[in-house]
C-alpha cells in the first residue's frame, strides 16, 4: 500500500469503523459496550461509523438501511441466520462479505474494529484484511472456537477448547443438519472435501485460527479469555488484554439518587439478591434458583431479570427456571430490561450474583453492581473471581458445587456485617473513558504498522504547544473519501 494512502490532518481525529452483531436499541453486552466506546471516541474528537446486523427478519435479506444514532452513522444489514446449509456456512458468507466491501468503499474509515463476527462469519475478517484496511478484533466470547459461542457443552459442563470430539457432539445436539451425518454438505470453509463430522469441526477450527491471524490488533477483555484462545492455538503474545470499561460514576450517582428518593424499607422486608442478564444454561440461573430453594431463606428474595431465550431451539432450561419460579413466590422472574432501567434494578437489590458455569470473558453485570456499591456472589469461572477482589467485595463460589452455593446464600442472607463490608469496599473499576484512551493509542500503532504513517491527533496551539485530542467542536475539515476511494483514487 502506498504510504500516502491515508491523509491525516492535525486535530481531525480518526474515522473509526465498527462492525458488530447489533447496536442500540438492541439489547446485550456487545451492543452496550460498543455504544459506550463510540460515545467516548466521539468525545475525543473521532468520527464513528457502524455496520451491524438487523436480525428481526422483517426486511429483504441482505438489504441495508442507514440511520443516525446519537451522532453515529449506523448501517444495518438484514440477516436472520436462515440460510445455513452446512457448518462452513457459519464461517463463510459471500453475501455479507460483499456488504462489508460495499460499506468500506463508501465509508471513510482509517481502521475497522470488529466486535463480533456472529452472522457475518470469519470471512468478514478476510474481507477487511484482504483490501489492506487496518483491522482490529475484540474477542467478546468463544464463538470462533465454538459456534455455540461459550465452550459450554450439551452435557451441561464447560468444554475444553481442544476437545473437538466433544464440540462435534455439542454441534450435533444443536444443528445436526449442518454436519455431514445430518445431511449437511461435506465441504469445508475453503471448499475442501470432508470425510465426516469430526473433519468438519476440524476444518471449522483451522479456518478460525487462520482468521485470528489476520487482525493487526487482537484484543481480549480479560486474561482468562486470552488464556483460552492461546490454549486453542492462537500464538502467545498475539492477544492484547484491554479490559472493558464501565460507566461507574454516572451509574453510582443514579443508583444513589434512586435509593435516596425511595421510601424507607420496612424492617421485616426480605433482602433481595439480583441476577441480571440472559438466562442461557451457561449462566447458571436455574442452578442458582435450585440452591436458593434448598437454602430455605425467608428473609431473602431472588430477582432474576433478563431475556429467557431458547438454547438453539431447546426450551427445557427456560421451562425448568420458570417452573421453579412458579412453585416458589420468593423467586421473581422479570423480563428483559432496557439499559435505561439498569440503575433502578440495582437500586432495589442488596447484592448481585453471577453463577456462570462457562469461562466468563468479562462479567459486566457484577461489575455494574460493584459500581453501585453492591456486594457480589460470583462463580470461579473465567474473569468473574477478579470482581470479588479476593473476598473483599463478595464471595467466590465453585461453579458446580450446589452445597457451596447454598452456604454462600445463607451467609449473604444472615451476615449483615459482611454484606456491609463487601458493599463498602472501594473497587477500582476501569471507566469507558480509560478504555477508549487505551484503544486510541493502540489504533495509532495499528495504522502506523499498516500504512507507515502515524496519525497526528493533536492540534497546534498559538504558542506552539500541543493540545489534547480534538474535541467534537474542532473546525470542520474536508470529508475523507471511503477506503477504496483513497486507495484507488475514486
Amino acid at each position: 500500500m502506498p504510504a500516502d494512502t491515508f491523509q491525516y490532518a492535525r486535530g481531525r481525529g480518526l474515522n473509526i469503523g465498527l462492525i458488530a452483531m447489533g447496536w442500540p436499541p438492541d439489547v446485550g453486552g456487545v451492543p452496550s459496550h460498543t455504544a459506550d466506546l463510540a460515545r467516548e471516541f466521539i468525545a475525543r474528537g473521532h468520527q464513528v461509523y457502524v455496520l451491524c446486523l438487523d436480525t428481526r427478519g422483517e426486511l429483504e435479506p441482505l438489504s441495508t438501511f442507514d440511520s443516525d444514532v446519537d451522532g453515529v452513522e449506523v448501517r444495518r444489514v438484514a440477516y436472520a441466520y436462515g440460510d445455513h446449509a452446512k457448518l462452513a456456512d457459519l464461517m463463510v458468507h459471500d453475501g455479507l462479505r460483499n456488504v462489508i466491501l460495499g460499506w468500506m468503499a463508501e465509508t471513510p474509515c482509517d481502521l475497522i474494529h470488529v466486535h463480533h463476527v456472529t452472522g457475518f462469519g470469519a470471512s468478514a475478517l478476510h474481507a477487511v484484511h484482504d483490501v489492506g484496511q487496518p483491522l482490529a478484533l475484540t474477542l467478546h466470547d468463544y464463538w470462533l472456537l465454538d459456534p455455540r459461542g461459550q465452550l459450554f457443552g450439551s452435557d451441561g459442563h464447560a468444554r475444553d477448547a481442544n476437545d473437538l470430539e466433544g464440540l462435534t457432539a455439542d454441534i450435533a445436539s444443536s444443528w445436526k443438519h449442518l454436519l455431514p451425518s445430518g445431511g449437511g454438505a461435506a465441504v469445508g470453509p475453503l471448499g475442501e472435501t470432508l470425510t465426516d463430522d469430526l473433519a468438519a469441526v476440524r476444518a471449522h477450527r483451522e479456518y478460525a485460527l487462520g482468521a485470528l491471524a489476520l487482525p493487526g490488533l487482537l484484543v481480549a477483555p480479560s486474561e482468562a479469555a486470552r488464556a483460552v484462545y492461546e490454549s486453542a492455538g492462537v500464538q502467545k503474545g498475539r492477544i492484547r488484554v484491554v479490559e472493558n470499561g464501565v460507566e461507574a460514576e454516572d451509574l453510582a450517582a443514579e443508583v444513589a439518587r434512586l435509593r435516596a428518593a425511595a421510601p424507607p424499607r420496612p424492617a421485616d422486608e426480605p433482602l433481595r439478591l439480583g441476577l441480571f442478564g440472559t438466562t442461557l444454561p451457561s449462566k447458571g440461573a436455574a442452578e442458582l434458583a435450585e440452591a436458593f430453594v434448598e437454602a430455605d431463606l425467608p428473609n431473602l428474595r431472588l430477582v432474576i431479570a433478563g431475556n429467557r431465550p431458547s438454547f438453539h431451539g431447546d426450551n427445557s432450561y427456560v421451562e425448568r427456571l420458570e417452573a421453579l419460579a412458579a412453585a416458589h413466590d420468593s423467586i421473581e422472574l422479570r423480563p428483559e430490561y432496557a439499559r435505561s432501567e439498569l440503575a433502578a434494578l440495582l437500586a432495589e437489590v442488596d447484592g448481585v450474583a453471577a453463577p456462570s458455569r462457562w469461562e466468563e470473558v468479562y462479567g459486566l453485570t457484577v461489575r455494574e453492581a460493584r459500581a453501585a456499591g453492591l456486594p457480589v456472589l460470583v462463580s470461579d469461572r473465567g474473569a468473574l473471581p477478579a470482581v470479588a477482589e479476593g473476598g473483599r467485595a463478595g464471595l467466590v463460589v465453585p461453579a458446580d458445587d450446589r452445597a457451596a452455593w447454598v452456604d454462600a446464600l445463607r451467609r449473604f442472607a444472615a451476615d449483615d456485617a459482611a454484606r456491609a463490608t463487601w458493599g463498602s469496599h472501594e473497587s477500582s473499576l476501569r471507566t469507558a473513558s480509560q478504555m477508549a484512551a487505551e484503544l486510541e493509542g493502540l489504533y495509532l500503532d495499528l495504522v502506523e504498522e499498516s500504512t507507515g504513517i502515524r496519525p497526528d491527533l493533536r492540534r497546534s496551539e498559538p504558542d506552539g504547544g500541543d493540545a489534547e485530542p480534538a474535541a467534537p467542536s474542532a473546525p470542520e475539515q474536508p470529508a475523507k473519501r471511503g477506503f477504496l476511494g483513497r486507495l484507488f483514487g475514486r
Side-chain angles (χ1 to χ4, degrees):
M1 181 186 302
D4 62 352
T5 298
F6 295 81
Q7 300 295 324
Y8 297 102
R10 293 172 72 85
R12 280 173 57 179
L14 293 169
N15 287 336
I16 301 167
L18 303 178
I19 295 178
M21 58 196 298
W23 196 261
D26 299 338
V27 175
V30 175
S32 294
H33 166 78
T34 46
D36 284 346
L37 199 54
R39 184 187 62 252
E40 294 296 334
F41 284 147
I42 291 171
R44 298 179 70 84
H46 305 297
Q47 179 64 50
V48 177
Y49 303 88
V50 171
L51 178 66
C52 67
L53 301 179
D54 181 304
T55 60
R56 295 171 299 170
E58 299 174 358
L59 303 173
E60 182 70 21
L62 302 185
S63 63
T64 64
F65 62 98
D66 298 339
S67 61
D68 182 288
V69 182
D70 297 328
V72 178
E73 295 185 26
V74 178
R75 174 168 296 178
R76 299 179 188 266
V77 52
Y79 184 67
Y81 301 94
D83 57 353
H84 298 143
K86 58 184 181 297
L87 187 63
D89 291 342
L90 300 177
M91 279 286 172
V92 179
H93 197 292
D94 290 339
L96 286 166
R97 183 179 187 276
N98 290 335
V99 170
I100 293 171
L101 289 172
W103 175 69
M104 287 194 298
E106 301 172 17
T107 306
C109 293
D110 299 313
L111 65 109
I112 304 293
H113 191 161
V114 179
H115 281 271
H116 217 296
V117 292
T118 297
F120 289 104
S123 58
L125 303 176
H126 286 276
V128 177
H129 174 271
D130 291 353
V131 298
Q133 179 73 288
L135 171 64
L137 170 66
T138 292
L139 302 165
H140 289 287
D141 62 11
Y142 304 117
W143 187 86
L144 283 163
L145 304 178
D146 170 14
R148 288 164 32 120
Q150 297 178 315
L151 288 172
F152 189 75
S154 54
D155 59 358
H157 297 284
R159 178 73 63 199
D160 185 278
N162 294 304
D163 180 8
L164 297 189
E165 291 185 354
L167 285 170
T168 301
D170 296 338
I171 294 167
S173 72
S174 296
W175 307 301
K176 180 71 172 178
H177 66 287
L178 298 182
L179 295 172
S181 66
V187 179
L190 298 176
E192 67 273 38
T193 300
L194 306 171
T195 57
D196 55 25
D197 292 354
L198 182 58
V201 174
R202 285 193 177 119
H204 185 279
R205 174 63 62 85
E206 289 170 5
Y207 187 86
L209 291 175
L212 283 165
L214 299 178
L217 174 61
L218 189 58
V219 170
S222 66
E223 291 285 355
R226 174 163 68 179
V228 170
Y229 273 94
E230 287 183 347
S231 75
V234 175
Q235 181 182 352
K236 291 187 182 299
R238 271 275 294 147
I239 299 175
R240 176 71 175 257
V241 174
V242 178
E243 185 181 339
N244 294 345
V246 176
E247 284 305 296
E249 291 186 7
D250 291 347
L251 183 59
E254 179 61 10
V255 171
R257 186 191 69 78
L258 291 169
R259 286 175 180 159
R265 178 185 290 183
D268 60 349
E269 183 173 310
L271 299 167
R272 296 187 184 94
L273 178 66
L275 192 164
F276 303 146
T278 186
T279 57
L280 290 170
S282 58
K283 295 292 188 176
E287 288 75 14
L288 178 65
E290 288 166 348
F292 175 79
V293 170
E294 183 176 335
D296 189 19
L297 300 166
N299 70 325
L300 183 65
R301 291 182 61 83
L302 181 60
V303 179
I304 301 175
N307 63 325
R308 299 192 291 277
S310 68
F311 188 54
H312 305 299
D314 182 355
N315 290 309
S316 60
Y317 191 83
V318 171
E319 291 167 354
R320 173 180 159 197
L321 180 61
E322 291 175 342
L324 284 164
H328 301 277
D329 292 341
S330 55
I331 300 176
E332 180 181 354
L333 296 186
R334 298 188 188 179
E336 184 174 66
Y337 56 91
R339 196 174 185 197
S340 60
E341 299 173 291
L342 173 61
L345 281 172
L346 292 171
E348 68 172 279
V349 299
D350 301 283
V352 173
S356 293
R357 305 174 66 215
W358 69 299
E359 297 298 324
E360 190 82 52
V361 169
Y362 179 60
L364 176 61
T365 61
V366 283
R367 282 178 166 82
E368 291 168 335
R370 289 300 306 133
L374 292 169
V376 295
L377 304 181
V378 298
S379 78
D380 59 353
R381 295 291 168 83
L384 290 177
V387 186
E389 300 193 47
R392 295 185 299 276
L395 294 175
V396 179
V397 188
D400 291 322
D401 188 335
R402 169 77 67 81
W405 275 102
V406 170
D407 289 343
L409 289 166
R410 286 174 175 163
R411 184 178 178 193
F412 177 85
D415 196 334
D416 296 347
R419 286 198 314 277
T421 298
W422 296 330
S424 63
H425 175 71
E426 188 172 342
S427 294
S428 55
L429 294 169
R430 180 176 170 86
T431 67
S433 177
Q434 291 170 329
M435 169 185 63
E438 182 177 2
L439 283 172
E440 180 186 86
L442 294 173
Y443 287 170
L444 298 182
D445 294 341
L446 172 64
V447 172
E448 183 176 19
E449 291 168 5
S450 300
T451 69
I453 301 173
R454 187 173 186 83
D456 186 350
L457 303 182
R458 302 171 74 89
R459 300 193 301 272
S460 293
E461 295 295 293
D463 62 1
D466 285 326
E468 290 303 310
S473 59
E476 184 175 351
Q477 300 288 337
K480 295 180 185 178
R481 290 175 290 171
F483 173 75
L484 297 183
R486 288 177 278 143
L487 189 61
F488 299 113
R490 294 177 184 170

